[in-house]
Amino acid sequence: QVQLVESGGGLVQAGGSLRLSCAASGSISSFNAVGWYRQAPGKQRELVAYITRGGSTYHVDSVTGRFTISRDNAKNTVYLQMNSLKPEDTAVYYCNSGAPIRIAGIISMAVDGSWGRGTQVTVSS
C-alpha cells in the first residue's frame, strides 16, 4: 500500500501563507483521490479539499478562494497552498487517500488509507 506523509506546517500570523505537502511513497495516480483534512482541538476532523486522479478538485466552502489543492505527479506529491490564513484555520492537517462520495447530497470522501502523524498549522492573531 502506498504511504502518505504530511509536512509543511508551522506558525504564521493571520493573513499569512503556508504550503503543505503530502508525499507518497509510490505513484499518486494509484489513488482515486487524495484529500486534505484538518482537526482542531475538541472538534471533529473535517475534509478541506481533495483532488482526483483525473485532476478534478473540491474545496470546502470555508476555504474556497483561499486554499488551493494541487499535485505534481513527477514528485508523487499533493500540495495544499493556504493563503489569507485565519486563526480558525488552526488545526492538525492530514492527507489521506480515498474516493469522492456524496452522502445525502454532501460532498465527502470514503477514506481507504491510514491516518498518519499530520502536520500542525497554527495561525496567530
Side-chain angles (χ1 to χ4, degrees):
Q1 185 174 356
V2 177
Q3 310 280 76
L4 299 172
V5 179
E6 309 93 337
S7 64
L11 173 64
V12 296
Q13 292 185 332
S17 298
L18 283 172
R19 188 178 74 164
L20 306 184
S21 297
C22 176
S25 62
S27 176
I28 58 171
S29 295
S30 66
F31 301 121
N32 188 303
V34 174
W36 282 99
Y37 295 75
R38 66 186 180 187
Q39 186 169 27
K43 294 185 178 180
Q44 189 175 358
R45 182 157 47 211
E46 66 170 336
L47 176 67
V48 176
Y50 67 67
I51 185 166
T52 70
R53 181 185 292 119
S56 297
T57 61
Y58 164 80
H59 302 80
V60 72
D61 287 348
S62 61
V63 309
T64 296
R66 299 188 299 120
F67 293 7
T68 304
I69 191 168
S70 64
R71 70 185 181 203
D72 185 332
N73 288 341
K75 295 182 178 180
N76 290 318
T77 301
V78 174
Y79 302 99
L80 185 68
Q81 178 67 47
M82 306 186 296
N83 299 325
S84 301
L85 283 161
K86 304 174 180 180
E88 51 263 45
D89 295 318
T90 295
V92 177
Y93 284 70
Y94 303 87
C95 64
N96 214 328
S97 60
I101 59 170
R102 289 188 182 185
I103 303 296
I106 300 172
I107 297 173
S108 63
M109 275 181 57
V111 173
D112 59 20
S114 300
W115 296 106
R117 304 161 300 169
T119 186
Q120 177 72 49
V121 172
T122 302
V123 184
S124 65
S125 59

